[in-house]
Amino acid sequence: MADALSAAFAAMADPTRRDMVARLADGDAGVTELAAHYEMSLQAVSKHLRVLEDAGLVSRTREAQRRPVHLEVEVLDLMTGWIERYRRRAEERFARLDAVLDELKQQDAPARTRTRRAGGPR
Amino acid sequence: MADALSAAFAAMADPTRRDMVARLADGDAGVTELAAHYEMSLQAVSKHLRVLEDAGLVSRTREAQRRPVHLEVEVLDLMTGWIERYRRRAEERFARLDAVLDELKQQDAPARTRTRRAGGPR
DNA sequence: CCGGTTATCAACCAGATGGTTGACAAGGTG
DNA sequence: CACCTTGTCAACCATCTGGTTGATAACCGG
């Protein structure tokens, strides 16, 4: 998997793991405590948590024999940061495109002097 | 896969597909045009685009024989929306926790009257 | 009409993923 | 100590994923 973003997105691609993240947002929880909400073995839940941990989305602070799972928000920020970056680029482009279209419309309406074969902009 | 979020996150979990999204943010592009940037067969690129399309991240507006690929930002918003929602919950919780700790510190310092066995708030 | 460009479909393959069961380690509590 | 709770490790299995190659479809230029 290598890069952090791939691991993070992959971790969030599973509904069970997203639900775990949602629950952990409201407070730390033990593995068994989490497992109570899902119809799968404790081992499966443990594996899901390992995936989240490897992605850096979660940490297990060992506290005596309890190993409460804790949500880490930094990687969440990494994801939204990436997405927002390119979302913004796309939107700036749309804005520019609209500007050009407006300009064309204004140039086109008054007079149509340039030789222009069938079908204007496309 | 079923739900939209799972498909979206899964689509973004691949570095090649994220790179495609990044490029498409700067403008629509054809399959071959995109494929030029990757060391893989055209078919593989086509499959990646299909994944993005199935996730709703991309659309193919058929325009004569050209089938330019176009980035759709709505699903990106869906993802950031989900993440930000729970990120906010976690942060509100941290804020509340800090408040409680501050309160405890102030109560604790002057006098320690309540019977309290080892390990206060869990 | 023939050939080139562009893109998809189909079959196949190796490796990752999500689940199972069984065994076991580590920490309190009777 | 014996035991129960909590959690992980290991092996196994079915399915999904990301890539390949080969064949085929759709469209345009000469």
Side-chain angles (χ1 to χ4, degrees):
Chain A
M1 187 80 60
D3 69 305
L5 272 177
S6 295
F9 280 116
M12 296 289 281
D14 186 281
T16 302
R17 286 194 295 257
R18 275 202 309 283
D19 192 74
M20 289 173 171
V21 168
R23 291 182 185 280
L24 291 171
D26 282 337
D28 298 1
V31 178
T32 307
E33 197 173 343
L34 280 169
H37 302 287
Y38 310 108
E39 290 198 342
M40 68 181 69
S41 67
L42 188 68
Q43 290 93 322
V45 172
S46 185
K47 279 171 99 176
H48 277 303
L49 288 172
R50 190 155 197 342
V51 173
L52 288 171
E53 188 178 23
D54 287 348
L57 284 160
V58 131
S59 64
R60 264 116 144 195
T61 55
R62 57 174 61 220
E63 179 190 302
Q65 86 284 18
R66 308 206 135 268
R67 271 145 287 185
V69 182
H70 176 79
L71 182 64
E72 299 287 343
V73 295
E74 291 148 35
V75 179
L76 292 180
D77 290 343
L78 236 182
M79 283 188 273
T80 53
W82 195 98
I83 296 177
E84 282 304 320
R85 172 176 174 184
Y86 292 103
R87 189 204 189 288
R88 208 171 306 120
R89 281 169 90 109
E91 243 165 33
E92 283 164 11
R93 182 168 63 89
F94 294 157
R96 248 179 287 129
L97 193 77
D98 284 350
V100 170
L101 287 184
D102 282 356
E103 194 179 334
L104 276 184
K105 207 186 296 174
Q106 293 210 337
Q107 276 189 345
D108 241 15
R112 162 185 278 274
T113 49
R114 304 292 288 161
T115 57
R116 160 103 27 115
R117 300 185 5 116
R122 159 132 317 208
Chain B
M1 186 80 60
D3 70 303
L5 272 177
S6 295
F9 280 116
M12 296 289 282
D14 185 279
T16 302
R17 286 193 296 260
R18 275 201 310 283
D19 192 73
M20 289 172 172
V21 168
R23 291 183 185 281
L24 291 171
D26 283 337
D28 298 2
V31 179
T32 308
E33 199 173 344
L34 279 169
H37 302 287
Y38 311 109
E39 290 197 342
M40 68 181 69
S41 68
L42 188 69
Q43 291 93 323
V45 172
S46 186
K47 280 171 100 175
H48 277 304
L49 287 172
R50 189 153 197 344
V51 174
L52 288 171
E53 188 179 23
D54 287 348
L57 285 160
V58 132
S59 65
R60 266 116 141 190
T61 56
R62 58 173 63 222
E63 179 188 306
Q65 87 284 17
R66 309 206 133 269
R67 272 146 286 185
V69 183
H70 176 81
L71 182 64
E72 299 286 345
V73 296
E74 290 148 34
V75 179
L76 292 180
D77 290 342
L78 236 181
M79 283 188 274
T80 52
W82 195 97
I83 296 177
E84 282 304 319
R85 172 175 175 184
Y86 292 104
R87 191 205 187 288
R88 206 171 307 121
R89 280 168 92 109
E91 241 165 34
E92 283 163 10
R93 181 168 63 88
F94 294 157
R96 246 179 288 127
L97 193 76
D98 283 350
V100 170
L101 287 183
D102 282 357
E103 194 178 335
L104 275 184
K105 207 186 295 176
Q106 293 211 336
Q107 275 188 348
D108 239 19
R112 160 187 278 273
T113 49
R114 306 289 289 159
T115 56
R116 161 99 26 113
R117 301 185 3 116
R122 163 91 33 92

